[in-house]
Amino acid sequence: ADQRELLDVGRLRDLPPFSMMEGAALRSEWQDGLFIPLWAEDRMQGAFALFSRTPTVFGEDQVGLLKALAKDAAIAMRNARLFAQVHAMGERVRAFSWRMVQMQEAERRRMARELRNEVGQVLSGLRLILQMSRRLPADAAAASLASAQAVVDELITRVRELSQNLRPAMLDDLGLLPSLLWYFE
C-alpha cells in the first residue's frame, strides 16, 4: 500500500519507537498494529491506529474502515484549521474596521473644529460688520459693505480650501497615483 495510506507495523515491540514505551503508553496486550496516517495539506497530522492482542494480519474491511475514518478526520482537521484562519482573518478585519471608524471620527472632529474656528469666526465677524453698517451714514455704510464683501471673498476661499482638503478634485480627474505624485512634488 501507499505509505500515505497505510503502515502495517507488525510486531509492535520489535520496532524501536515502541520498544522504549512503558506502562499505559503501550499496553502489554498489544501485539500488532495498523496505522493510517492523517494527511492534510501535504503534512501528516497524526494517525489512526488499530491494535490487535494477537499476532494478526489485518483484513481489507479493517483497513478500509480505518482509511475511511482517516480520510474524514483529515478533512475535519483541515476544515478546523481553515475555520480558525477565517476566524483570525475576521478578527483582523474587525480590528481594521474599528481603526478606520476611529480615524474617520478623528477627521470629523478636526473638520468640525476647523469649520467652527475658521468659518464660524469669519461669519461672526461678517455679521458684526453688517449690523454696524445699518447704523452708519450712507457713505460709511458703503465702505463697511465693501469690507463685508472682502470678508465674504475670504470666506469663499477658506471654504474652497476646506473642501479641497476633504477630497481634492484632482483625485476624480487624475486618480490616486498621479495626485499623490503631484502632492509629493
Side-chain angles (χ1 to χ4, degrees):
D2 181 2
Q3 283 249 299
R4 288 178 56 107
E5 293 181 16
L6 173 66
L7 178 59
D8 185 352
V9 297
R11 299 245 339 125
L12 292 176
R13 296 198 189 288
D14 296 340
L15 296 172
F18 296 102
S19 63
M20 307 297 262
M21 291 182 169
E22 296 178 15
L26 182 60
R27 295 183 181 176
S28 60
E29 67 266 18
W30 291 348
Q31 296 293 313
D32 280 323
L34 176 67
F35 289 83
I36 298 193
L38 300 175
W39 288 92
E41 299 168 357
D42 289 333
R43 282 188 4 230
M44 191 170 107
Q45 306 295 316
F48 270 129
L50 182 62
F51 295 102
S52 171
R53 292 186 178 133
T54 60
T56 302
V57 174
F58 294 98
E60 283 300 315
D61 54 336
Q62 294 160 322
V63 171
L65 176 63
L66 211 51
K67 281 182 181 180
L69 289 173
K71 181 179 178 183
D72 290 345
I75 290 169
M77 290 172 70
R78 186 190 71 220
N79 289 345
R81 188 175 303 104
L82 290 173
F83 178 78
Q85 289 172 350
V86 166
H87 181 72
M89 186 65 75
E91 289 299 317
R92 285 194 292 268
V93 167
R94 277 188 281 286
F96 178 74
S97 295
W98 176 249
R99 180 68 183 129
M100 289 297 297
V101 167
Q102 288 176 323
M103 290 172 58
Q104 287 173 339
E105 286 301 315
E107 183 62 16
R108 287 183 181 122
R109 281 191 301 273
R110 185 187 69 76
M111 289 304 301
R113 189 172 45 252
E114 269 189 63
L115 284 171
R116 184 178 57 247
N117 292 344
E118 291 189 30
V119 176
Q121 287 176 4
V122 171
L123 285 173
S124 295
L126 181 60
R127 182 181 342 138
L128 286 173
I129 292 171
L130 292 173
Q131 285 174 348
M132 289 184 355
S133 296
R134 284 191 215 158
R135 297 183 197 136
L136 296 174
D139 58 334
S144 180
L145 288 176
S147 174
Q149 180 66 46
V151 170
V152 168
D153 291 343
E154 179 186 340
L155 181 59
I156 289 171
T157 301
R158 286 189 182 181
V159 168
R160 276 193 191 130
E161 287 172 1
L162 286 173
S163 175
Q164 283 290 352
N165 288 340
L166 283 175
R167 182 164 175 89
M170 188 182 295
L171 277 176
D172 295 326
D173 298 340
L174 301 178
L176 180 62
L177 185 59
S179 298
L180 286 173
L181 292 172
W182 176 86
Y183 180 76
F184 291 140
E185 287 175 11

